[in-house]
Amino acid sequence: MLNIDKLSIRSDEVELLSPICFKLCPGQVVGVIGASGSGKSLLASAIIGDIPKGFTASGKVTICNTAAASEEQVPHSLARVALAAQSATALDPLRTIFSQISHRIKRITQRKIASNQTAKPSHISNFVSEQIGRCYPHQLSGGMAKRALLAQASCQQSEYILADEPCCGLDSRSAQEIYTHLADYAKQENRGVLVISHNLKQLLAVADEILVLQEGKLVDSTRPELILTGMCHSYTQALWQALPENWHKDKLDYAEVA
């Protein structure tokens, strides 16, 4: 279990992330939503220890192995957490996508052998096709790059994946496929998946829990069915009602046109 306990980021004058607490279990999909600038990507970076210059982090990020009844601090076990970054700049511009993935798999296999573990096949084919795999990063569209970043993260066979805006810029059908693959990956491979997204509607279909950030603060921790029935924080409900399909004509005020 990935345990986030009072994680915060601040300087002497500014607090970017207020103390946040939540847990991510194997086989679970947790969604993180909020407006732009609410601290969603910052949370993912903080979990893996990537803190903005001039700021300090406090709190604890630990991985608890219930089978062994032990707990490790994440900085000493980063191989157990993989980040699917939001930007394609995380890809190596000098290698094809398949070349990058093969290189990572080779390193993972060596690590597994050294620790007497067996490397398992990942869901790479669910994210990248042969066409994408043969391309260099500069040849990819935004959607293709998102798939490549997810494939890189999944091939690491980490226990937990942090997917930062995995469907940003994708059409509805492609986004739904990505979310479905992430949910299948979590359940079938028993991985914990944290999905940071603006796509609340489609995230509700796959997430077990939804965390809501507002200006760096965790204002709600809820479930999809509670959002759909209005049994959630007022800010969460406002995000849901802001979707065009949830607008109701009888509740809209029309401006008079002279």
Side-chain angles (χ1 to χ4, degrees), residues 54-105:
F55 290 83
T56 58
S58 61
K60 292 174 61 179
V61 180
T62 54
I63 294 177
C64 179
N65 186 342
T66 54
S70 63
E71 190 175 77
E72 296 179 66
Q73 291 239 7
V74 165
H76 300 293
S77 54
L78 282 176
R80 300 175 67 178
V81 181
L83 172 65
Q86 181 177 165
S87 174
T89 56
L91 298 170
D92 186 342
L94 302 180
R95 290 176 178 263
T96 65
I97 301 305
F98 275 159
S99 175
Q100 296 182 53
I101 291 174
S102 297
H103 179 68
R104 285 178 180 259
I105 290 176

Side-chain angles (χ1 to χ4, degrees), residues 15-81:
E15 185 176 60
L16 297 180
L17 206 63
S18 297
I20 290 177
C21 301
F22 69 92
K23 297 176 181 179
L24 176 62
C25 299
Q28 184 183 35
V29 177
V30 172
V32 181
I33 64 169
S36 296
S38 60
K40 302 187 300 298
S41 296
L42 193 62
L43 173 61
S45 297
I47 289 174
I48 62 172
D50 185 9
I51 309 301
K53 187 176 180 180
F55 290 83
T56 58
S58 61
K60 292 174 61 179
V61 180
T62 54
I63 294 177
C64 179
N65 186 342
T66 54
S70 63
E71 190 175 77
E72 296 179 66
Q73 291 239 7
V74 165
H76 300 293
S77 54
L78 282 176
R80 300 175 67 178
V81 181

